[in-house]
Every structure is written in C-alpha cells, then in structure tokens.
Amino acid sequence: MTDPSKKQKVVIVGAGPVGSLAALYAASRGDDVEIYELRGDLRDPSTIPLNFTKSINLALSERGINSMKQSGQHCLIDKLLQETIPMYGRMIHGKSTSGELWEAAQAYDVHGRAINAVDRGALNNALLDELDRTPNVKMFFNHKLTGADFRSNKAWFERRILGGADDKSKFSNTSDRAPEVEVSFDMLIGADGAHSATRYHMMKFARVDYQQEYIDTLWCEFRIPPREDGDFRISPNHLHIWPGKEFMFIALPSSDKSFTCTLFAPSSYYTKLENAPQEVVEFFDEYFPGVCPDLITPHDLQEQFASNPHLPLISIKCKPHHYGSSVVILGDAAHAVLPFYGQGLNAGMEDVRVLFEILDKHGVYDSPLDPDAQRAFRASAFQAYTDQRAPDTHAINDLSKRNYLEMRWGVKLPLYKFRKSVEETLDSYFPRLGWRTQYSRVSFSNERYSEVIRAADRQGEIFTTCLGSIALLLLGSIGFILYKFRTQLLPSGFILRPLQALTDISFRAYNAALRTYSYS
C-alpha cells in the first residue's frame, strides 16, 4: 500500500494509447493523475482525429503486449487480444509475365508467432474505460496546453468551449473567450504526438537536439469491403503487400471483415494522379494487380482517392527526452517513427514500461518524505531514462526507414529470400547460436532496438563474408581448372565460355550480397 503522503501529482498531456497507459502505470503506484487531451472524448464517434482521417491500422506485437501486462491490467490485455487479428506473415502479390495473378506467403517467424492487427479506436477506448474505473485518475478533454513553466512546475491549458456541458471537466466559464486554467504538478508526462506542445515548451528550458524529416512519400487510406457473404475477401492472417519498387500498397485486416489499405508513393505520383484522376484505375492495374476490380471497384477506388486526404510521413529524433525533475516526453512526442516496421505504438508503450521501471529503480516511489529528495531521485531517474532510451528510439527510427525499402522492393529479391531462409534455419535447428532474423528481434522480443541493430549488422557481416568466401573459392577453383587444363580448354570455347559465365555469376552474387547487407 502506497503511503498517501508520498503521492505525486502527475499531469499527462495526451490521452492516446501511450498517454493512457502512462496514466495506468502512475495510478497503480498511488499517484494522483490528471490527463489533459486536446480533442474531445476519443470514445465519442463524433470526435474528429487530428489528421481528419482514420489512422493506419495498428500492429500490436510483443513490446506493446508486454508493456500493457506490466501495468498489472491482465484482464484488459486478455480482452484486447481476443479482439485482435493475428497476422503470421506477409502475403506478396504480383502478376507473371503471362498475365496471371500470383501471391506468395512469407512467414514472419520460424516459430509461428504473429503480430496482431488492432483497431486504434478499440485499443484507445479500452484504456480510457479502464481509467474511468480508476479512482485516482481524472480526465479533462478539450484542453489545449498553451504554456508551461518547468521550473515552478506549472502548466496552463486553454479549455475549448463547444457549446455544451462538459461533465468531465472541473472548470466552467460562461465567457465567449476560451478560459485558461493553471495546473500545478510534480511530474508532467508529454504523450501528445509528433506535433507535441509539451516538447515545444520543454525546448524553452532544455537544450534539445532536434531532427525532423518529412520523407518524399505521401499516404492515402483505402478500404476493401467484406464479401457479399460477410467474410474477408483475402486472407485475414497476413499483411498484404503489393510492392512497386518506388511505392507500395498494403492491406491490414479489420474486425468488421474489411481491410484498411494504404497507398505509399512519392509526392510526384500523387500530383500526377490528382491532376488526372481518371488514371487512378490504370495506375492500380499496372502496379497493384488484383486490387481493382477484384477487391475495390473502379468507382470506389477513384472516390476514395479523391475524398481521403493525402498525408505526409514525418520522422522525428530528439535528445534529451526530459528536463530536470519535472517533465519527460514519450511516444511520438519524443520519436515519431515511420510506420514501416509497425513499431510506433509498441515503441511508445515500451517507453512507458522503461520509464516507470527506472523510476522504481531510482527509489522515486520509495523516497523519503522530503520533497527535495524526491525531486532529486526523479531527476536522476529522468536522466537515466534519456541515456537508455534515446539510443533505442533513434535505432527504431533508422530501422523503420530501412524496412520501407525491404517492403516495397526487397521482399521480391532472391537474395533477400535466401538470407531469410538461412537465418530462419539456423534459428530453428541451432538456437544456441543466437541467430535470428532482424524482424524476429524487433517484433517478437523485448531486446533493445540499439542491440537489434548491432546484432543484425554482425549477422550481415558474417553472411556477406561467407558469400564472399564461397565466391572466392569458386573463382579460385575455376582459375585452377583453367590453369591445369589450359592446353585442352583454350583452343575450344565449348568449356571455356561456360566457365567464364560462371565467373561472372560469382561476381554478381557477391555484389548482390553487399547490396543486400546495406539495407538489411
């Protein structure tokens, strides 16, 4: 039982999945928790998302599941998992030179593990419902963070008045002008997304190294409806990919038997199609065979492209993730990552687990009653959190960028398939070697992201060295044969030409291995 006199007041900005999970962690330790959300109640269907669209379906994997379990809400995670759809691998779609459609499954994991497709709204609603049942948590919607003083531990929120009663807020004002309220805190957690107001105000106090990048790719959402009998039109247990080298189209299953789909393409392609919308169907016919009209009708395809927004993809790195003992940022506020590894949600939830494990380790919840000592413990914990977490969040940022190339093109390369087969064979039959695919390390373990990169790079070096050694051995053998039997071979090209061709193949294989290592 937590001593009430040791309670902290924790203010959390952002009521998305990461902020909601952080509130559960803090509340379970006895803190008085207040959550402030810019939008209205996210459980209300009329609440408009900040990007004015549904977001890409979320992929919940081991890191996110483990982080929710560590909150102590076992019933919550069990219920959520029952509503998810397991995806055991990718399904690659294409068309042969003869015009026949084909699909090829690529398992994610040699041990049969799956990632879980989950509806963002269902996940968020379940977390908010749990917070509603938690007595030491208060939620305030339609509150915008407008200022913060992280030395005096005060924050100011503008309460948006929408014309109706707001029974979830402790503030009221009859003025037409949006009122601003002052809130004090011991610890403020910013989980308010890529365009974080918390990070903006924190940067006035901390010397934050900040890097933001918009890649030259836009995304647009589409929907594959259920079949007439109400079932899925394609396999629900795969992430479907139509790779196109410069772009790709993907489809993730939804609980209503539809698929949420996304077109990722350079902005120049979007500009071309926006100027000539009648070419959308032709574009899909050429690059994403089988989508239209088999899965989406031409009319729906054109309508969805025209009506759904074409949105950018942002990548953010920053350090530190805190200031003093008063504020720390989590999730996209600290490290917005591209969606190509399905780790944005999982990394954000892992932030929460790592942060509170470090707070526990540094005695923040066992500290003496002296507030100054508790602040010192918290400052030490925040610094340790930044030191540990920043390299890992930078790593998953880099991994996500690399995986875009793999998804849109690498999955079709024979050498990629060969390396994947070798790594999975070693993992299956010689587990003591510790050899695993990079995907398995990211999605099915809690290994630090920075360690994943180091392990994958080591394996890549070994793989490339082995291929190079085989190529050199083959070249040496050919050279020996040419020298040994030069008098018999040189007059005739019958044997010499095939050997020369074999030499060329060896060189190409070695160069291909180097290219594969560069992005794997």
Side-chain angles (χ1 to χ4, degrees):
M1 189 77 167
T2 304
D3 186 338
S5 61
K6 296 182 182 179
K7 282 185 177 181
Q8 302 175 107
K9 181 178 178 182
V10 177
V11 166
I12 296 174
V13 183
V18 174
S20 298
L21 184 63
L24 286 174
Y25 268 75
S28 69
R29 285 159 172 75
D31 291 336
D32 288 324
V33 181
E34 293 182 356
I35 306 177
Y36 293 85
E37 168 58 46
L38 171 64
R39 297 162 289 181
D41 192 331
L42 305 179
R43 292 164 292 186
D44 185 345
S46 66
T47 299
I48 301 174
L50 293 179
N51 56 12
F52 302 101
T53 183
K54 298 176 185 177
S55 59
I56 303 169
N57 268 22
L58 300 176
L60 182 63
S61 57
E62 166 60 24
R63 295 173 193 272
I65 294 170
N66 181 50
S67 297
M68 284 195 284
K69 286 181 177 178
Q70 296 303 317
S71 71
Q73 305 294 332
H74 296 286
C75 293
L76 172 65
I77 185 60
D78 291 341
K79 179 182 177 182
L80 279 171
L81 288 176
Q82 290 175 3
E83 298 176 359
T84 64
I85 301 173
M87 296 184 294
Y88 294 95
R90 299 164 174 161
M91 185 69 77
I92 312 302
H93 294 260
K95 184 166 65 174
S96 66
T97 53
S98 62
E100 295 181 357
L101 298 178
W102 58 264
E103 59 182 28
Q106 295 180 357
Y108 281 138
D109 179 60
V110 71
H111 302 292
R113 291 172 290 190
I115 60 175
N116 302 279
V118 61
D119 179 77
R120 178 187 288 270
L123 172 63
N124 213 158
N125 292 352
L127 291 167
L128 291 174
D129 287 343
E130 189 63 35
L131 289 172
D132 255 343
R133 293 188 287 268
T134 306
N136 52 328
V137 175
K138 297 177 182 178
M139 291 187 283
F140 306 98
F141 296 102
N142 295 308
H143 281 73
K144 177 182 178 181
L145 179 66
T146 55
D149 185 337
F150 294 121
R151 293 193 181 97
S152 63
N153 286 24
K154 295 184 184 298
W156 291 268
F157 293 88
E158 179 185 277
R159 181 191 169 207
R160 300 190 302 165
I161 298 176
L162 304 178
D166 183 6
D167 59 354
K168 290 190 176 292
S169 176
K170 63 183 178 181
F171 306 111
S172 62
N173 192 304
T174 58
S175 168
D176 290 337
R177 181 179 179 275
E180 192 173 72
V181 295
E182 182 179 287
V183 179
S184 61
F185 56 85
D186 294 305
M187 173 170 66
L188 186 144
I189 297 175
D192 47 345
H195 303 287
S196 169
T198 306
R199 184 184 65 236
Y200 171 78
H201 292 297
M202 188 183 84
M203 290 172 73
K204 300 174 184 177
F205 294 84
R207 297 191 301 273
V208 178
D209 292 326
Y210 178 76
Q211 176 185 332
Q212 172 182 299
E213 178 186 3
Y214 283 99
I215 66 170
D216 185 26
T217 297
L218 301 178
W219 67 277
C220 177
E221 188 174 278
F222 296 81
R223 181 177 182 269
I224 296 175
R227 288 192 325 212
E228 288 71 16
D229 63 2
D231 203 359
F232 289 102
R233 290 183 179 271
I234 48 179
S235 166
N237 299 122
H238 292 88
L239 186 154
H240 295 263
I241 303 177
W242 285 260
K245 196 170 184 177
E246 292 184 89
F247 36 71
M248 69 177 180
F249 187 76
I250 68 171
L252 282 79
S254 299
S255 58
D256 64 355
K257 305 299 179 69
S258 69
F259 281 83
T260 300
C261 310
T262 311
L263 169 64
F264 296 100
S267 56
S268 59
Y269 285 89
Y270 272 94
T271 300
K272 180 180 177 182
L273 294 174
E274 288 166 354
N275 293 332
Q278 70 278 4
E279 296 181 6
V280 171
V281 174
E282 296 177 9
F283 177 77
F284 271 74
D285 284 344
E286 181 176 357
Y287 296 108
F288 312 126
V291 172
C292 181
D294 297 348
L295 304 177
I296 307 177
T297 66
H299 175 268
D300 286 346
L301 188 71
Q302 289 180 311
E303 183 179 25
Q304 291 179 45
F305 181 82
S307 60
N308 290 341
H310 307 156
L311 299 169
L313 290 169
I314 191 172
S315 167
I316 290 174
K317 297 178 180 178
C318 74
K319 183 182 180 182
H321 293 176
H322 77 287
Y323 171 73
S325 65
S326 58
V327 60
V328 62
I329 52 177
L330 309 178
D332 285 355
H335 51 81
V337 301
L338 301 176
F340 304 116
Y341 232 124
Q343 285 294 301
L345 168 70
N346 296 285
M349 288 188 158
E350 190 174 58
D351 288 347
V352 177
R353 176 183 64 80
V354 172
L355 171 64
F356 280 89
E357 285 180 354
I358 291 176
L359 289 170
D360 290 341
K361 181 180 178 181
H362 282 73
V364 171
Y365 290 100
D366 297 320
S367 61
L369 300 181
D370 178 17
D372 291 335
Q374 191 175 54
R375 281 194 291 271
F377 288 172
R378 197 165 55 240
S380 176
F382 280 0
Q383 183 62 56
Y385 173 77
T386 285
D387 292 343
Q388 176 176 328
R389 198 61 183 156
D392 290 335
T393 58
H394 288 18
I396 189 55
N397 200 302
D398 295 336
L399 287 167
S400 297
K401 288 180 184 178
R402 294 186 194 180
N403 210 47
Y404 184 31
L405 176 59
E406 179 178 303
M407 291 177 71
R408 73 176 196 249
W409 184 241
V411 291
K412 297 176 69 174
L413 297 178
L415 200 58
Y416 163 80
K417 298 175 185 177
F418 174 65
R419 175 176 172 176
K420 185 173 185 290
S421 175
V422 169
E423 291 180 330
E424 289 179 338
T425 299
L426 292 173
D427 185 10
S428 180
Y429 292 101
F430 306 98
R432 291 187 178 181
L433 294 177
W435 197 291
R436 289 180 288 167
T437 65
Q438 178 178 284
Y439 193 95
S440 176
R441 292 179 186 276
V442 169
S443 298
F444 305 118
S445 81
N446 294 288
E447 186 176 351
R448 290 182 58 180
Y449 290 122
S450 55
E451 289 294 331
V452 169
I453 284 188
R454 284 191 282 271
D457 287 348
R458 284 194 301 269
Q459 289 181 188
E461 291 171 359
I462 295 171
F463 181 78
T464 305
T465 300
C466 289
L467 273 187
S469 300
I470 292 171
L472 291 174
L473 181 62
L474 186 59
L475 289 173
S477 300
I478 292 171
F480 175 77
I481 292 172
L482 290 175
Y483 176 77
K484 187 73 174 176
F485 301 99
R486 60 188 181 281
T487 55
Q488 294 93 330
L489 295 176
L490 289 177
S492 171
F494 179 73
I495 298 178
L496 187 56
R497 279 195 297 271
L499 289 175
Q500 290 172 331
L502 192 58
T503 303
D504 293 339
I505 290 172
S506 300
F507 275 119
R508 286 199 296 271
Y510 181 65
N511 289 330
L514 291 177
R515 288 196 299 273
T516 299
Y517 168 64
S518 70
Y519 66 74
S520 61

